[in-house]
Amino acid sequence: MEPTPELSPHHAYPDHWEADVVLRDGGTARIRPITTDDAERLVSFYEQVSDESKYYRFFAPYPRLSDRDVHRFTHHDYVDRVGLAVTIGGEFIGTVRFDRINEQGRPASAPADEAEVAFLVQDAHQGRGVASALLEHIAAVARERGIRRFAAEVLPANNKMIKVFRDAGYTQQRSFEDGSVHLTLDLEPTEKSLAVQRGREQRAEARSVQRLLAPGSVAVIGTGRTPGGVGRTVLRNLLAAGFTGRTYAVNRAFDEGLATLDGVPAHRSLGEIDEQVDLAVIAVPAHRVPEAVADCGEHGVQGLVVLSAGYAERGSAGRELQRELVRQARSYGMRIIGPNAFGIINTAESVRLNASLAPESPARGRIGLFTQSGAIGIALLSGLHRRGAGLSSFISAGNRADVSGNDFLQYSFEDQDTDVALLYLESLGNPRKFTRLARRTAAVKPVVVVKGARHSGTNPPGHAVPVSRIPDATVSALMRQAGVIRVDTVTEMVDAGLLLAGQPLPAGPRVAILGNSESLGLLTYDACLAEGLRPRPPRDLTTAASPQDFRDALAEALADGTCDAVIVTAIPWVGENGEAETGDGEVLAAALRGAAAGGPAKPVAVVHVEIGGLAEALAAASSTAAPRTRPTTLAGRPAAAPGAPAGAAPPTATAPTEPGTEAPAETAGAAGTTRTAETTEPAETEAAEPPARPGRIPAYPAAERAVRAMAEAVKYAQWRRQAATPGKVPEFLDETTDEPGAAALIDTLLGTAPDPRGRPLTHDEARELLSRYGIPVRPTLPAPDPEAAVAAAARLGYPVALKTTAPHLRHRADLGGVRLDLTDEDALRRAYAEVTELLGKPAELLPVVQSMAPRGVDTVVRASIDAAAGAVLSFGLAGAPSELLGDTAHRLVPATDRDAAELIRSIKAAPVLFGWRGSAPVDTPALEELLLRLSRLVDDHPEVVSVALEPVVVAPQGLTVLGATVRLAPPPPRGDLGPRRLPNY
């Protein structure tokens, strides 16, 4: 809305305070500043508030607002007096305001840093989390305006408001004065307040998706009068799936006398329906969608699936239509799947919803599927159906203008019917939030992701989200850090999903291979080695092996304590006449299922070649069992997984001493707890664990596919074991860092009016800043001529190095711009002459002199900030080969001790650090400490937008930072630390 307050330009309407939020029940609302245009809305709102709520607000009977009250509550300067309102359908349902006060409690201006705050929520909307959302937003506004504390007076009987303050997680003080409770809240975010905020966000967003997937009634708007067409197809699919709720066909073009269509009530508008409709599927042309959305909003529809096309996929005009669609739907408290969506499916027996264009509803299963592409969604549904796999839920979000993969993760985390979440994504609107949600979800159930549009550098048409500039390799590394199973193709996603949904997690990488084909066994063995597994020599049962032989061999392999998983290979039997017998698949499947059910819980996969009925028979094992939850002990800790030794515990945070070394298996099942350290609020429901006993056994037509799926399961299981005991930031960092000193230095370097583009620091400035965090950089002295070089060497002490620092020669020793181990003046002069003769004049080369560091391995440590993903810490070896091969590892900041250890060990060239080919191992603990210090620096000071330490020479004892470049800039906004809000793209 366009405000008309009489304010100075300095106090202009703060439109960045506007936000859409998801409330506790899954509905949406809008929070915005109150303006002078809101007088009538405020009066109407107040009239609908009960006398009791008015009494709690004003401490006395207050039946109506006076004109003076209305003027006071609608005129704000947005600095010392601020009011926010929560609106649905344009009408107020809740308000909050603060007034800055001094120490005596009287109205004041800055620099006073305390404000009195008061809330009022309409009775009909109490219990929806309105006041909690308002507190988050008004606190953020107050911090922006320099207010550090809130004061509130609450009547002792107003338990709901006291609970809002108490549960917010802020540091607070309470006292009882003059018959009221006096509360003081410190508005600085705390770990608890962030955890509370994220817990509320998770439950609200999960509930918003659950309302879409489990409606009590569905209306298909745009149902055609004749067979065919999008709307009529959806109606047919709803009926064919046996939807348990009520279904309505809606089309304004229906004849007035038409009562039913395909056996369901037919109406010309939602207003003709006698009851509230929960979900509307909109299948009308784009120009008629606003009318349909308004009809839905005015009649209390909770959510929309918009199948209509013609939006952002059509260009800038369509993108604006899409934004308006989202604004309109959210104004009524509705969430949207789409536009340009394929639809949604929920196979739960109590729902049986197929509100999609999929002609056949998938079988009930334990895989949740989210896709941003209708075509990919069709392919995935078809592929899963062919392989006998069922789904718990399916969302094809189209242009994902509102409901996104992040919302699906929130839902999957809670959903008892989902054991594995599969996502096909073409864009990440909020990578920082995605990795946070994925880490929490992956701690209790696998998350498998295929990322499309990886190398285009742009988002697909229709996806109006910010473009992240971080390379795809970095995205992949960050997903791995969060426990996400990142695969390259939808086929690999289905392969991994089938194994994870039907089999327990492997306790380690040791794989037994058995079958009736020596050649297929060898192919499987080679594939295991290529994927980093530790296969045992294949066991050849010979082509004469019977199903009973397979059963006995599988049972023996499962009972063997030296194997963690089994891959069975099978080819058709050859009859006496020399022809292949392919019809015994059901018999072999029964034998394999029997062995798996009777042995220890270990994953089993089957590679088969043209054995008729085998894959189908293996898939016939129950995949619709009740949710599997791990019991908890009396102490509240998860009990050991089935088959785990008593007292089994996850590995410690200490990484292997050498890359490629696998820690001993700690459990025979899936290790991990039902929450990570990041989640401090327990969920309302117990999350489902992967199956403790084999269910359906996945079958694959090629050894490479089965082995790749097993390798992903092994890596995920290892991540789960490690995630059970999160890493820590060592305490010594607190003792050896000077955060206030660094902050003061940064403020000085940026100045009072910093350039938004930032500024690079000089060598001396960078050295001073890094030294505040215990990162010494070896000094360099300029050498513009031979005499200056000699003087610099005398000052530093021999031996020295002569380096060129011109941008085109920096860190390019291969071009001849570096001379090392110059032991005296004569050697330095000769080197100076050689370099200038070879490469150019000193003014072009910018030579410097530096004292020699102990010999070691040259490495590179970097930290940079991506606007979407946040701060990223990177590590690799120095030199052209590492750059050419892209051999760099990445982790999100803040990094823990485990992150630092894994970062060093995850590059391909890591063996060089650990004594490769007889060389001395280098001081990796010192390198880990350096990584942690740099991580702490960029986490504490978001103004540090990039740091490159190059080279860092790591010796057998200690390390030396020889070069450092640092760039400062005004800090980018941190949306993950602000109040909850839905994105507006």
Side-chain angles (χ1 to χ4, degrees):
M1 80 182 322
E2 289 296 329
T4 58
E6 298 177 1
L7 300 170
S8 67
H10 179 66
H11 299 159
Y13 178 82
D15 54 10
H16 65 286
W17 293 351
E18 296 181 355
D20 294 316
V21 297
V22 183
L23 300 178
R24 182 179 299 156
D25 61 359
T28 64
R30 185 158 187 81
I31 295 178
R32 64 169 177 82
I34 298 174
T35 75
T36 55
D37 292 337
D38 289 322
E40 291 185 8
R41 293 185 185 87
L42 182 65
V43 171
S44 175
F45 158 72
Y46 194 77
E47 290 175 349
Q48 298 177 64
V49 175
S50 70
D51 291 339
E52 181 183 49
S53 295
K54 293 173 182 175
Y55 186 89
Y56 284 152
R57 169 64 176 86
F58 292 104
F59 291 21
Y62 215 88
R64 64 187 58 84
L65 296 176
S66 66
D67 292 343
R68 181 178 179 182
D69 291 331
V70 173
H71 183 275
R72 176 189 171 204
F73 293 150
T74 57
H75 286 68
H76 305 95
D77 62 8
Y78 303 127
V79 176
D80 300 324
R81 300 185 313 281
V82 173
L84 300 180
V86 181
T87 67
I88 295 179
E91 298 301 319
F92 286 7
I93 66 166
T95 62
V96 64
R97 63 174 282 118
F98 74 67
D99 294 88
R100 195 188 301 258
I101 57 175
N102 59 20
E103 294 179 356
Q104 290 74 40
R106 298 181 178 277
S109 298
D113 61 358
E114 185 171 334
E116 187 175 41
V117 66
F119 297 77
L120 187 60
V121 177
Q122 205 174 92
D123 294 67
H125 294 276
Q126 291 179 11
R128 301 184 65 196
V130 173
S132 298
L134 277 173
L135 178 56
E136 289 179 21
H137 283 261
I138 198 70
V141 168
R143 289 192 295 269
E144 181 181 327
R145 295 310 194 204
I147 292 171
R148 298 291 173 259
R149 291 181 305 283
F150 273 162
E153 300 289 337
V154 185
L155 288 175
N158 192 357
N159 293 319
K160 291 181 180 178
M161 199 65 244
I162 293 175
K163 189 174 188 300
V164 168
F165 288 117
R166 185 186 68 225
D167 293 348
Y170 294 112
T171 303
Q172 58 182 271
Q173 295 179 339
R174 288 200 292 174
S175 61
F176 189 77
E177 301 175 9
D178 300 327
S180 66
V181 179
H182 181 79
L183 294 164
T184 303
L185 274 73
D186 186 340
L187 299 183
E188 186 66 25
T190 65
E191 287 188 14
K192 183 178 180 181
S193 69
L194 287 175
V196 168
Q197 177 178 311
R198 289 170 176 173
R200 289 171 174 165
E201 172 193 66
Q202 187 275 319
R203 290 188 292 274
E205 292 179 357
R207 174 61 178 157
S208 73
V209 176
Q210 194 269 341
R211 295 204 317 178
L212 291 163
L213 287 172
S217 55
V218 177
V220 182
I221 301 176
T223 306
R225 290 169 289 179
T226 58
V230 173
R232 192 67 175 267
T233 299
V234 173
L235 180 64
R236 181 195 67 205
N237 294 342
L238 275 166
L239 298 176
F243 175 54
T244 59
R246 297 165 302 283
T247 306
Y248 303 94
V250 179
N251 190 331
R252 68 177 185 177
F254 283 159
D255 296 332
E256 292 188 11
L258 182 65
T260 63
L261 184 70
D262 290 343
V264 304
H267 300 278
R268 300 182 64 183
S269 70
L270 289 177
E272 297 179 2
I273 301 175
D274 294 334
E275 63 175 342
Q276 177 179 312
V277 173
D278 296 331
L279 175 69
V281 181
I282 297 179
V284 300
H287 69 275
R288 286 183 47 203
V289 170
E291 175 189 347
V293 172
D295 192 24
C296 292
E298 290 166 4
H299 291 91
V301 173
Q302 295 182 349
L304 306 175
V305 176
V306 181
L307 308 181
S308 312
Y311 287 90
E313 76 276 9
R314 299 287 179 86
S316 58
R319 187 174 294 110
E320 186 52 42
L321 283 177
Q322 184 167 299
R323 291 192 179 106
E324 182 55 38
L325 168 65
V326 174
R327 284 193 291 265
Q328 183 187 15
R330 288 180 179 172
S331 73
Y332 288 109
M334 299 182 293
R335 299 212 68 181
I336 295 177
I337 291 177
N340 196 25
F342 186 72
I344 60 176
I345 297 174
N346 183 353
T347 64
E349 187 62 27
S350 60
V351 181
R352 298 200 302 270
L353 173 74
N354 181 6
S356 77
L357 297 174
E360 184 175 355
S361 186
R364 187 181 175 200
R366 307 200 60 81
I367 296 175
L369 176 60
F370 178 91
T371 172
Q372 293 178 354
S373 163
I376 296 297
I378 295 171
L380 285 168
L381 289 175
S382 176
L384 288 165
H385 176 72
R386 283 196 309 271
R387 299 178 68 176
L391 292 178
S392 57
S393 59
F394 167 75
I395 294 178
S396 178
N399 293 1
R400 45 130 6 256
D402 182 21
V403 173
S404 67
N406 285 349
D407 297 293
F408 184 73
L409 283 175
Q410 301 277 42
Y411 171 77
S412 298
F413 177 77
E414 292 271 329
D415 185 31
Q416 287 283 310
D417 292 331
T418 298
D419 286 343
V420 180
L422 308 183
L423 296 92
Y424 171 77
L425 306 176
E426 292 179 343
S427 60
L428 292 175
N430 189 339
R432 193 195 303 258
K433 181 177 179 180
F434 176 83
T435 54
R436 172 169 58 85
L437 301 185
R439 178 188 290 272
R440 182 186 56 199
T441 304
V444 296
K445 60 186 69 173
V447 177
V448 188
V449 171
V450 172
K451 176 68 168 65
R454 293 179 294 168
H455 304 297
S456 64
T458 60
N459 289 322
H463 292 220
V465 300
V467 177
S468 177
R469 301 300 180 187
I470 57 178
D472 182 69
T474 306
V475 173
S476 184
L478 300 184
M479 285 189 178
R480 291 287 182 186
Q481 182 186 5
V484 173
I485 301 170
R486 168 80 182 272
V487 294
D488 294 329
T489 68
V490 293
T491 300
E492 291 177 354
M493 179 165 70
V494 172
D495 286 345
L498 291 176
L499 179 68
L500 292 163
Q503 296 292 300
L505 295 179
R510 303 168 299 181
V511 179
I513 303 168
L514 61 92
N516 62 351
S517 168
E518 182 180 11
S519 298
L520 191 54
L522 290 174
L523 287 173
T524 306
Y525 181 87
D526 291 341
C528 286
L529 291 175
E531 292 292 337
L533 300 177
R534 288 162 50 187
R536 296 172 57 186
R539 179 178 177 182
D540 182 16
L541 303 180
T542 77
T543 55
S546 66
Q548 184 62 43
D549 293 331
F550 272 89
R551 177 169 184 158
D552 294 342
L554 177 56
E556 183 180 340
L558 291 172
D560 188 345
T562 65
C563 105
D564 305 308
V566 182
I567 297 179
V568 178
T569 63
I571 62 172
W573 287 268
V574 178
E576 295 179 359
N577 58 0
E579 295 182 358
E581 298 178 3
T582 62
D584 291 332
E586 294 85 351
V587 179
L588 177 58
L592 296 177
R593 288 204 310 268
K602 297 179 182 180
V604 178
V606 174
V607 179
H608 70 101
V609 178
E610 298 298 332
I611 299 183
L614 176 62
E616 294 80 1
L618 288 171
S622 173
S623 61
T624 59
R628 293 167 288 269
T629 59
R630 183 179 301 175
T632 56
T633 64
L634 292 177
R637 292 185 292 272
T652 64
T654 305
T657 57
E658 188 170 339
T661 302
E662 175 67 28
E666 296 287 342
T667 66
T673 62
T674 57
R675 293 291 182 272
T676 64
E678 189 172 312
T679 305
T680 61
E681 288 201 344
E684 296 173 357
T685 58
E686 188 75 20
E689 287 287 326
R693 285 280 176 183
R696 61 184 312 281
I697 299 177
Y700 303 87
E704 295 79 9
R705 289 172 57 179
V707 170
R708 192 171 297 120
M710 189 67 74
E712 295 294 353
V714 168
K715 287 183 281 188
Y716 170 68
Q718 183 181 10
W719 180 89
R720 280 278 295 268
R721 290 191 291 271
Q722 293 176 342
T725 53
K728 300 177 181 179
V729 176
E731 295 182 358
F732 70 79
L733 294 181
D734 295 324
E735 303 167 358
T736 57
T737 58
D738 180 9
E739 182 180 349
L745 177 60
I746 290 170
D747 288 342
T748 300
L749 294 173
L750 282 176
T752 55
D755 186 338
R757 297 170 300 178
R759 55 156 293 196
L761 301 189
T762 65
H763 175 74
D764 290 338
E765 291 171 341
R767 285 188 65 221
E768 183 178 0
L769 176 60
L770 292 169
S771 68
R772 303 296 175 97
Y773 275 74
I775 303 175
V777 180
R778 184 151 294 207
T780 61
L781 297 177
D785 54 54
E787 300 305 321
V790 170
R795 179 178 173 184
L796 296 173
Y798 289 99
V800 297
L802 177 68
K803 304 179 181 180
T804 58
T805 60
H808 66 289
L809 296 172
R810 184 183 295 271
H811 309 307
R812 292 298 308 275
D814 55 311
L815 297 181
V818 177
R819 295 292 190 273
L820 302 176
D821 286 322
L822 305 176
T823 57
D824 53 34
E825 180 178 338
D826 291 340
L828 175 59
R829 290 184 181 276
R830 285 196 303 273
Y832 199 100
E834 292 171 359
V835 169
T836 53
E837 182 179 352
L838 176 65
L839 299 176
K841 299 179 180 179
E844 300 170 349
L845 303 180
L846 305 177
V848 297
V849 173
Q850 190 174 51
S851 59
M852 286 295 298
R855 293 285 186 177
V857 177
D858 289 0
T859 64
V860 181
V861 175
R862 293 190 177 96
S864 60
I865 293 181
D866 178 82
V872 178
L873 188 67
S874 304
F875 171 77
L877 298 190
S882 291
E883 289 188 33
L884 288 171
L885 298 174
D887 190 17
T888 305
H890 312 273
R891 292 293 186 274
L892 283 175
V893 169
T896 65
D897 52 358
R898 173 177 292 159
D899 292 328
E902 291 176 350
L903 193 62
I904 293 171
R905 290 158 175 80
S906 58
I907 61 172
K908 296 181 179 66
V912 173
L913 303 169
F914 294 90
W916 184 61
R917 299 181 69 177
S919 61
V922 302
D923 192 349
T924 52
L927 186 55
E928 293 168 16
E929 180 180 332
L930 174 66
L931 290 165
L932 290 169
R933 290 185 180 278
L934 183 58
S935 168
R936 181 71 176 270
L937 170 65
V938 297
D939 189 46
D940 287 346
H941 306 284
E943 301 89 349
V944 182
V945 295
S946 70
V947 179
L949 307 181
E950 184 178 6
V952 177
V953 182
V954 190
Q957 296 292 327
L959 58 76
T960 308
V961 180
L962 296 182
T965 58
V966 179
R967 186 173 187 84
L968 301 181
R974 287 286 303 271
D976 58 324
L977 297 181
R980 290 173 284 158
R981 63 170 62 214
L982 288 170
N984 289 306
Y985 299 130

